[in-house]
Amino acid sequence: GLRRAIGASDGSIIALFLRQGGRQLTVGLLVSGAISVLVLYVVSQFAGVGVIALTFIGLLVAAIVTALVLSAVFISTRRAVLQEPAVALRFD
C-alpha cells in the first residue's frame, strides 16, 4: 500500500515481490537440493531404483514447488495491488 501511495506502478510492485519470493525459493531449493542428493543416493542403494529415475522425480518435485510458490506470490501480490492504497495502508 505504501509503495502504491507514493506512486510505484503495479508492475514494479509485482516484480519486486516476485524477485523477493524467487530469492527465498532459490535458497530453499539449494538447501533442499543438497539434502536430496544424499537422500537419493541412499534410497537408490537400498530401493533398487535407478539414480536417473530418482533424479527425474526430484527435478519434477522442484519444478512443481517452484510453480506453486511463484503463483502464490503472484496471486497474493496482485490481489493486494488491486486494492486502493488507503485500504491497503489500513491493514499494514
Side-chain angles (χ1 to χ4, degrees), residues 25-79:
L25 177 67
T26 302
V27 170
L29 286 176
L30 289 175
V31 170
S32 66
I35 294 169
S36 68
V37 166
L38 297 172
V39 171
L40 288 175
Y41 177 74
V42 171
V43 168
S44 69
Q45 296 298 317
F46 293 112
V49 179
V51 176
I52 295 174
L54 291 174
T55 303
F56 177 74
I57 292 170
L59 291 175
L60 183 65
V61 168
I64 290 171
V65 167
T66 299
L68 288 174
V69 167
L70 292 180
S71 64
V73 169
F74 177 76
I75 290 169
S76 62
T77 304
R78 186 168 177 266
R79 184 179 300 154

